[in-house]
Amino acid sequence: MITFAQAFELFACQVLPASLTDAAHLRFRSLAILRQLVHDASLEIGEDGQQIVYVARGATKLVAHASQSRDQIVAFHFAGDVFTVPEPDNYSYSVSALRDSDILTFASTDFLALAAGEAGVLQYLLENTTLSLRRCREKTIALGRKNARERLAVFLLAMAERIGVEQDGRVGLDLPMSRRDIAESLGLTIETVSRQLTKLRDERVIETLGRSGIVLLKPSLLRGRAGFMREAA
Amino acid sequence: MITFAQAFELFACQVLPASLTDAAHLRFRSLAILRQLVHDASLEIGEDGQQIVYVARGATKLVAHASQSRDQIVAFHFAGDVFTVPEPDNYSYSVSALRDSDILTFASTDFLALAAGEAGVLQYLLENTTLSLRRCREKTIALGRKNARERLAVFLLAMAERIGVEQDGRVGLDLPMSRRDIAESLGLTIETVSRQLTKLRDERVIETLGRSGIVLLKPSLLRGRAGFMREAA
DNA sequence: CGTCTCATTGAGCCAGCTCAAATTAGGTGG
DNA sequence: CCACCTAATTTGAGCTGGCTCAATGAGACG
């Protein structure tokens, strides 16, 4: 659990240009709202319109709710990530904590009005949005064209890149999300996720340590199973 | 077929703020490259890194290529749209013309360097990227959690919103894309797309006119089949 | 060390895929 | 304007990967 001051300081260092005036700095500060989410707590995004979210500490999932409690996890975010949550339209969205997390939220319209004069902030936001878009497109490819085995390979590689710890060719992962979360992110069921992980273990591609630990023994093997583009012309 | 001058003029009116100096205007102009694509022609995005694309005329698809010629259509874009194409990494991307099209491309790094001082341009770009992201997330939800029938409903409603012509409660569509394109966009096969359209026709939800004409007889009926959020708490 | 939730494993089913054939829209040339 | 040609689409039949339902196993925490 961290204080508002600490959270905003992290945000400012990362997002606001050093050249920003104290007055502008304070205006941004007045827009920020700190949300402290314990494990599994979730923040519904509703009336206040599109939100800009900064993860100061922890790990979160962005969930879209469709009919009949069919939920799709749209993205995972970790400490330091900035992302946008749409206002509800055909779907409603929420941000949930995978671990205890502290996040700052800003009403998008207010934030953008304030950032309009600050090219540096806009650029930072644009870069992050473009990154979110690239990741979302890659997820689209996985969900549209890949089978369960490939989706798991893609997922593990993506997590390795974001929260993996490399040690002599192997990559250690401490996954903050449950099998259910993985399934809801990949458009599969928990049973299928479990079966595919078992298969990868049997094939000596990964090792598992309890519920959350996974070691990628040979990332290159996984890459071969991810269905990425090869030497296409 | 339009000239470079015409295409850039369209772009400038829409994207560049009126207040922009002539000098800056000319610098943007010098970055633009006009690509004239006849029906089915495609533009591979390769060495030059991330691109920013403006569709001056026509209709295009953004295709991601995975292994074994499994292609996923990531988005459709129509005249006036601005979007970003990632540089190749795990997948390679291309832009193809559904109809004869004229598009302007900009190397993203150059464009952003130039736009760094122009908050208006950055804002416009950010808005468009956020819109692309929202659409991509909705596609993710469709591909992750919806069956074929729902995906078709979502697709038709999205197209109705973007290129539909409403007339007393019905919406007319002249789809520029083939069944194969629809299938590659929705993560289905052309056979499944065809069968679902036939079913919708049998159920008097749509009418078809030749290959490309579709009339939504009762958009509200389609909305009911799209698996959107209902009165969820 | 009990308990509770999460994860794994098993068995059978079905939506959408694959392969194959028939039909038709829409251009093309006479 | 019409007959023809070709590729796109539709329709049919059977198969299968991942889902559903059900039971068992195993971490985590008091």
Side-chain angles (χ1 to χ4, degrees):
Chain A
M1 188 98 84
I2 63 181
T3 66
F4 176 81
Q6 290 171 317
F8 190 78
E9 182 57 26
L10 286 168
F11 170 78
C13 282
Q14 196 177 314
V15 179
L16 302 182
S19 61
L20 200 70
T21 65
D22 284 357
H25 195 279
L26 281 175
R27 277 197 292 275
F28 276 109
R29 190 178 165 114
S30 73
L31 291 181
I33 300 175
L34 175 66
R35 321 276 191 162
Q36 301 182 313
L37 301 176
V38 298
H39 175 75
D40 230 38
S42 77
L43 175 64
E44 304 295 329
I45 306 297
E47 307 313 299
D48 310 323
Q50 180 173 289
Q51 300 284 307
I52 291 170
V53 177
Y54 171 74
V55 182
R57 187 182 66 98
T60 66
K61 58 181 175 182
L62 171 59
V63 186
H65 308 280
S67 62
Q68 304 153 29
S69 76
R70 289 185 297 178
D71 292 345
Q72 172 68 39
I73 294 181
V74 165
F76 293 111
H77 288 287
F78 304 99
D81 288 356
V82 176
F83 62 99
T84 301
V85 186
E87 63 185 329
D89 49 2
N90 294 328
Y91 309 101
S92 74
Y93 295 86
S94 64
V95 175
S96 305
L98 300 173
R99 313 177 183 288
D100 292 0
S101 301
D102 297 293
I103 66 183
L104 290 177
T105 65
F106 302 82
S108 187
T109 46
D110 297 345
F111 190 92
L112 290 178
L114 193 47
E118 306 293 340
V121 178
L122 284 177
Q123 265 189 305
Y124 189 85
L125 215 52
L126 180 57
E127 263 168 45
N128 271 277
T129 307
T130 304
L131 176 60
S132 290
L133 179 57
R134 189 167 64 70
R135 288 201 181 122
C136 189
R137 283 170 171 168
E138 293 188 358
K139 185 187 279 270
T140 296
I141 300 165
L143 298 192
R145 286 285 167 256
K146 290 182 199 284
N147 59 26
R149 135 188 295 242
E150 291 169 323
R151 291 184 204 183
L152 257 295
V154 170
F155 170 78
L156 290 174
L157 288 169
M159 283 303 127
E161 206 168 295
R162 293 179 75 179
I163 56 170
V165 179
E166 186 168 350
Q167 194 174 17
D168 42 67
R170 310 154 126 228
V171 181
L173 281 176
D174 182 29
L175 295 179
M177 68 287 283
S178 67
R179 298 288 186 269
R180 170 168 309 282
D181 291 326
I182 298 174
E184 284 187 0
S185 165
L186 299 181
L188 300 169
T189 58
I190 51 173
E191 293 93 331
T192 298
V193 169
S194 178
R195 278 188 256 267
Q196 292 300 329
L197 286 177
T198 302
K199 232 181 236 179
L200 286 174
R201 183 152 39 79
D202 291 347
E203 296 166 357
R204 315 264 175 249
V205 178
I206 64 171
E207 256 172 27
T208 56
L209 298 147
R211 284 181 178 166
S212 66
I214 292 192
V215 180
L216 313 191
L217 298 175
K218 267 267 206 169
S220 62
L221 264 181
L222 263 184
R223 225 162 279 124
R225 281 153 208 254
F228 290 144
M229 188 191 50
R230 305 188 196 299
E231 346 255 300
Chain B
M1 185 99 82
I2 63 180
T3 66
F4 176 82
Q6 289 172 317
F8 191 78
E9 183 55 27
L10 287 169
F11 169 78
C13 283
Q14 197 177 314
V15 179
L16 301 183
S19 62
L20 200 69
T21 65
D22 285 357
H25 195 280
L26 281 175
R27 277 198 292 276
F28 276 109
R29 191 178 165 113
S30 72
L31 291 182
I33 300 176
L34 176 65
R35 321 274 191 165
Q36 302 182 312
L37 299 177
V38 298
H39 174 75
D40 230 38
S42 77
L43 175 65
E44 304 295 331
I45 305 296
E47 306 312 300
D48 310 323
Q50 181 172 289
Q51 301 283 307
I52 291 170
V53 177
Y54 172 75
V55 182
R57 187 182 65 98
T60 66
K61 58 181 174 180
L62 172 59
V63 186
H65 308 281
S67 62
Q68 305 154 29
S69 76
R70 288 184 298 178
D71 292 347
Q72 172 69 38
I73 294 181
V74 164
F76 293 110
H77 288 288
F78 304 99
D81 288 355
V82 176
F83 60 99
T84 300
V85 186
E87 63 186 329
D89 48 3
N90 294 327
Y91 309 102
S92 74
Y93 295 86
S94 65
V95 176
S96 304
L98 300 173
R99 311 176 184 289
D100 292 358
S101 301
D102 297 292
I103 66 183
L104 290 177
T105 64
F106 302 80
S108 186
T109 45
D110 296 347
F111 190 94
L112 289 179
L114 194 46
E118 306 293 340
V121 178
L122 284 178
Q123 265 188 305
Y124 189 86
L125 215 51
L126 179 58
E127 265 169 43
N128 270 276
T129 306
T130 305
L131 176 61
S132 290
L133 178 58
R134 190 168 61 72
R135 289 201 181 123
C136 189
R137 282 170 172 168
E138 292 188 358
K139 184 187 279 272
T140 296
I141 299 165
L143 298 193
R145 287 284 166 256
K146 291 182 197 286
N147 61 24
R149 135 187 297 241
E150 292 169 323
R151 291 184 204 184
L152 257 294
V154 170
F155 170 78
L156 290 173
L157 288 168
M159 283 301 127
E161 206 168 294
R162 293 179 75 180
I163 56 171
V165 179
E166 186 167 350
Q167 193 173 18
D168 41 67
R170 309 154 126 229
V171 181
L173 281 177
D174 181 30
L175 295 180
M177 67 288 284
S178 67
R179 299 288 185 270
R180 171 168 306 282
D181 290 328
I182 299 174
E184 285 187 359
S185 165
L186 299 180
L188 301 169
T189 59
I190 50 175
E191 293 94 331
T192 298
V193 169
S194 179
R195 279 187 255 265
Q196 292 301 328
L197 286 177
T198 301
K199 232 181 236 179
L200 287 173
R201 182 153 39 80
D202 292 347
E203 295 167 356
R204 313 263 175 252
V205 178
I206 63 171
E207 256 172 28
T208 55
L209 299 147
R211 284 178 178 169
S212 66
I214 291 190
V215 181
L216 312 191
L217 298 175
K218 268 266 206 170
S220 62
L221 264 182
L222 262 184
R223 223 163 280 123
R225 284 154 205 253
F228 289 145
M229 189 190 49
R230 307 189 193 296
E231 347 254 300

